PDB file of all heavy atoms in Angstrom:
ATOM      1  N   GLU A 313      17.129  26.791  18.908  1.00  0.00           N
ATOM      2  CA  GLU A 313      16.787  25.375  19.056  1.00  0.00           C
ATOM      3  C   GLU A 313      15.998  25.121  20.332  1.00  0.00           C
ATOM      4  O   GLU A 313      15.079  24.310  20.349  1.00  0.00           O
ATOM      5  CB  GLU A 313      18.057  24.516  19.033  1.00  0.00           C
ATOM      6  CG  GLU A 313      18.718  24.444  17.675  1.00  0.00           C
ATOM      7  CD  GLU A 313      17.804  23.855  16.613  1.00  0.00           C
ATOM      8  OE1 GLU A 313      17.263  22.748  16.817  1.00  0.00           O
ATOM      9  OE2 GLU A 313      17.627  24.512  15.574  1.00  0.00           O
ATOM     10  N   THR A 314      16.341  25.829  21.413  1.00  0.00           N
ATOM     11  CA  THR A 314      15.602  25.681  22.667  1.00  0.00           C
ATOM     12  C   THR A 314      14.159  26.136  22.478  1.00  0.00           C
ATOM     13  O   THR A 314      13.229  25.471  22.944  1.00  0.00           O
ATOM     14  CB  THR A 314      16.275  26.495  23.789  1.00  0.00           C
ATOM     15  OG1 THR A 314      17.609  25.998  23.978  1.00  0.00           O
ATOM     16  CG2 THR A 314      15.514  26.393  25.091  1.00  0.00           C
ATOM     17  N   ALA A 315      13.969  27.242  21.774  1.00  0.00           N
ATOM     18  CA  ALA A 315      12.612  27.733  21.499  1.00  0.00           C
ATOM     19  C   ALA A 315      11.827  26.722  20.670  1.00  0.00           C
ATOM     20  O   ALA A 315      10.645  26.482  20.928  1.00  0.00           O
ATOM     21  CB  ALA A 315      12.675  29.081  20.782  1.00  0.00           C
ATOM     22  N   LYS A 316      12.476  26.108  19.689  1.00  0.00           N
ATOM     23  CA  LYS A 316      11.808  25.089  18.873  1.00  0.00           C
ATOM     24  C   LYS A 316      11.359  23.907  19.735  1.00  0.00           C
ATOM     25  O   LYS A 316      10.252  23.403  19.601  1.00  0.00           O
ATOM     26  CB  LYS A 316      12.746  24.565  17.783  1.00  0.00           C
ATOM     27  CG  LYS A 316      12.895  25.448  16.589  1.00  0.00           C
ATOM     28  CD  LYS A 316      13.792  24.729  15.576  1.00  0.00           C
ATOM     29  CE  LYS A 316      14.257  25.621  14.474  1.00  0.00           C
ATOM     30  NZ  LYS A 316      15.188  24.931  13.562  1.00  0.00           N
ATOM     31  N   ARG A 317      12.263  23.451  20.627  1.00  0.00           N
ATOM     32  CA  ARG A 317      11.932  22.318  21.489  1.00  0.00           C
ATOM     33  C   ARG A 317      10.774  22.657  22.420  1.00  0.00           C
ATOM     34  O   ARG A 317       9.875  21.845  22.631  1.00  0.00           O
ATOM     35  CB  ARG A 317      13.148  21.885  22.299  1.00  0.00           C
ATOM     36  CG  ARG A 317      14.106  20.986  21.532  1.00  0.00           C
ATOM     37  CD  ARG A 317      15.133  20.341  22.443  1.00  0.00           C
ATOM     38  NE  ARG A 317      16.018  21.307  23.060  1.00  0.00           N
ATOM     39  CZ  ARG A 317      17.123  21.785  22.499  1.00  0.00           C
ATOM     40  NH1 ARG A 317      17.482  21.397  21.306  1.00  0.00           N
ATOM     41  NH2 ARG A 317      17.876  22.665  23.137  1.00  0.00           N
ATOM     42  N   GLN A 318      10.800  23.876  22.986  1.00  0.00           N
ATOM     43  CA  GLN A 318       9.731  24.289  23.901  1.00  0.00           C
ATOM     44  C   GLN A 318       8.393  24.358  23.172  1.00  0.00           C
ATOM     45  O   GLN A 318       7.361  23.950  23.700  1.00  0.00           O
ATOM     46  CB  GLN A 318      10.069  25.637  24.538  1.00  0.00           C
ATOM     47  CG  GLN A 318      11.193  25.541  25.543  1.00  0.00           C
ATOM     48  CD  GLN A 318      11.660  26.896  26.044  1.00  0.00           C
ATOM     49  OE1 GLN A 318      11.379  27.930  25.448  1.00  0.00           O
ATOM     50  NE2 GLN A 318      12.406  26.894  27.143  1.00  0.00           N
ATOM     51  N   LYS A 319       8.408  24.860  21.947  1.00  0.00           N
ATOM     52  CA  LYS A 319       7.182  24.942  21.153  1.00  0.00           C
ATOM     53  C   LYS A 319       6.644  23.537  20.868  1.00  0.00           C
ATOM     54  O   LYS A 319       5.451  23.282  20.996  1.00  0.00           O
ATOM     55  CB  LYS A 319       7.444  25.678  19.844  1.00  0.00           C
ATOM     56  CG  LYS A 319       6.227  25.866  18.995  1.00  0.00           C
ATOM     57  CD  LYS A 319       6.544  26.642  17.729  1.00  0.00           C
ATOM     58  CE  LYS A 319       5.308  26.776  16.852  1.00  0.00           C
ATOM     59  NZ  LYS A 319       5.592  27.468  15.597  1.00  0.00           N
ATOM     60  N   ALA A 320       7.542  22.622  20.505  1.00  0.00           N
ATOM     61  CA  ALA A 320       7.134  21.242  20.221  1.00  0.00           C
ATOM     62  C   ALA A 320       6.566  20.583  21.475  1.00  0.00           C
ATOM     63  O   ALA A 320       5.562  19.860  21.409  1.00  0.00           O
ATOM     64  CB  ALA A 320       8.317  20.445  19.681  1.00  0.00           C
ATOM     65  N   GLU A 321       7.185  20.842  22.628  1.00  0.00           N
ATOM     66  CA  GLU A 321       6.682  20.275  23.886  1.00  0.00           C
ATOM     67  C   GLU A 321       5.303  20.823  24.202  1.00  0.00           C
ATOM     68  O   GLU A 321       4.411  20.081  24.610  1.00  0.00           O
ATOM     69  CB  GLU A 321       7.658  20.573  25.032  1.00  0.00           C
ATOM     70  CG  GLU A 321       8.944  19.780  24.956  1.00  0.00           C
ATOM     71  CD  GLU A 321       9.983  20.248  25.970  1.00  0.00           C
ATOM     72  OE1 GLU A 321       9.674  21.141  26.794  1.00  0.00           O
ATOM     73  OE2 GLU A 321      11.106  19.718  25.937  1.00  0.00           O
ATOM     74  N   ALA A 322       5.108  22.135  24.012  1.00  0.00           N
ATOM     75  CA  ALA A 322       3.809  22.755  24.280  1.00  0.00           C
ATOM     76  C   ALA A 322       2.737  22.180  23.355  1.00  0.00           C
ATOM     77  O   ALA A 322       1.609  21.914  23.786  1.00  0.00           O
ATOM     78  CB  ALA A 322       3.896  24.270  24.115  1.00  0.00           C
ATOM     79  N   GLN A 323       3.077  21.976  22.101  1.00  0.00           N
ATOM     80  CA  GLN A 323       2.121  21.388  21.158  1.00  0.00           C
ATOM     81  C   GLN A 323       1.780  19.964  21.569  1.00  0.00           C
ATOM     82  O   GLN A 323       0.632  19.537  21.459  1.00  0.00           O
ATOM     83  CB  GLN A 323       2.682  21.418  19.740  1.00  0.00           C
ATOM     84  CG  GLN A 323       2.721  22.806  19.143  1.00  0.00           C
ATOM     85  CD  GLN A 323       3.418  22.847  17.796  1.00  0.00           C
ATOM     86  OE1 GLN A 323       4.198  21.962  17.458  1.00  0.00           O
ATOM     87  NE2 GLN A 323       3.157  23.895  17.030  1.00  0.00           N
ATOM     88  N   GLY A 324       2.777  19.226  22.041  1.00  0.00           N
ATOM     89  CA  GLY A 324       2.549  17.860  22.509  1.00  0.00           C
ATOM     90  C   GLY A 324       1.620  17.829  23.710  1.00  0.00           C
ATOM     91  O   GLY A 324       0.722  16.989  23.802  1.00  0.00           O
ATOM     92  N   GLU A 325       1.808  18.777  24.644  1.00  0.00           N
ATOM     93  CA  GLU A 325       0.942  18.844  25.822  1.00  0.00           C
ATOM     94  C   GLU A 325      -0.481  19.205  25.416  1.00  0.00           C
ATOM     95  O   GLU A 325      -1.447  18.640  25.939  1.00  0.00           O
ATOM     96  CB  GLU A 325       1.496  19.862  26.819  1.00  0.00           C
ATOM     97  CG  GLU A 325       2.773  19.410  27.494  1.00  0.00           C
ATOM     98  CD  GLU A 325       3.407  20.489  28.351  1.00  0.00           C
ATOM     99  OE1 GLU A 325       2.758  21.522  28.603  1.00  0.00           O
ATOM    100  OE2 GLU A 325       4.560  20.291  28.766  1.00  0.00           O
TER     101      GLU A 325
END
Side-chain angles (χ1 to χ4, degrees):
E313 289 300 307
T314 299
K316 281 183 192 176
R317 278 192 296 275
Q318 289 172 343
K319 183 178 178 182
E321 288 171 4
Q323 288 174 339
E325 290 173 11

